[in-house]
Amino acid sequence: MSEDNISKIKYLVEKLNVRDQELRDKVKRISMLETAFHRTGQPLAILTLDNKYIFVNKSYATHHGYETPEELIGKDVNELFTINTEDNPMDIINESLQKTGSWFGKYICPHKSGKNFLAEVYLDIIVDESIIICTCHKVDCTIKNEKVEILKS
């Protein structure tokens, strides 16, 4: 093997080691962020642009009556958040998301037990990542199935 080929191989091995370290650093950072998101008391979910859960923290799952976040992963928000109303609030919310990239308001959220609750919900699209960040804060835990009023800020 020529000196030139050996130099190329050494260069490639070095480059692979750097990439491997960068990958390990990214995995470590993702793990740290996931731990932080789970430990926060703020309910947090990340959705695809077609409204499917890809991340849910423990607080968000508990708020909605689920024992583990995994029960929501891959589920469609529109299927889970169906509340009997004349007007579909998801249409209004999705329209705002498309126009402004965010939405804030009060929303009657379903609980797995069937008891709905009122929450202040903030949604924000992160275009570069093609995701929607959702945070919510319970306002009242004993809302009955009534017509939903969207309060725009």
Side-chain angles (χ1 to χ4, degrees):
M1 207 177 262
S2 73
E3 291 272 331
D4 189 41
N5 286 341
I6 292 174
S7 293
K8 286 179 184 176
I9 290 171
K10 285 181 180 179
Y11 170 77
L12 291 173
V13 168
E14 171 102 15
K15 196 169 184 174
L16 286 174
N17 284 336
V18 169
R19 284 187 183 167
D20 190 41
Q21 183 60 46
E22 288 172 354
L23 182 59
R24 279 195 300 271
D25 291 345
K26 285 180 182 180
V27 168
K28 185 177 177 181
R29 181 172 163 77
I30 289 169
S31 177
M32 177 190 66
L33 289 171
E34 184 176 18
T35 299
F37 286 147
H38 278 298
R39 290 193 177 174
T40 182
Q42 178 67 38
L44 173 73
I46 301 174
L47 304 105
T48 62
L49 293 179
D50 59 347
N51 294 328
K52 294 198 187 318
Y53 288 107
I54 55 175
F55 175 84
V56 174
N57 71 359
K58 294 172 187 173
S59 182
Y60 188 94
T62 302
H63 265 61
H64 292 85
Y66 294 88
E67 290 187 29
T68 66
E70 290 75 22
E71 292 178 77
L72 291 166
I73 302 302
K75 302 278 170 85
D76 190 313
V77 172
N78 296 319
E79 292 172 17
L80 293 174
F81 280 54
T82 302
I83 296 176
N84 297 329
T85 61
E86 291 176 17
D87 301 319
N88 185 349
M90 294 302 285
D91 291 342
I92 296 168
I93 293 167
N94 287 329
E95 185 178 318
S96 176
L97 282 171
Q98 288 175 1
K99 285 182 181 176
T100 67
S102 64
W103 181 82
F104 175 79
K106 290 188 175 143
Y107 186 80
I108 296 178
C109 298
H111 190 275
K112 188 177 179 182
S113 69
K115 294 181 181 179
N116 300 329
F117 64 93
L118 184 63
E120 289 181 333
V121 177
Y122 179 73
L123 301 169
D124 191 38
I125 293 179
I126 300 177
V127 177
D128 294 346
E129 302 295 328
S130 298
I131 60 174
I132 301 170
I133 303 293
C134 172
T135 60
C136 66
H137 172 72
K138 278 186 184 179
V139 176
D140 181 9
C141 296
T142 57
I143 301 298
K144 294 182 180 178
N145 273 341
E146 297 175 2
K147 186 174 179 181
V148 176
E149 268 189 51
I150 303 296
L151 305 176
K152 295 182 181 179
S153 60

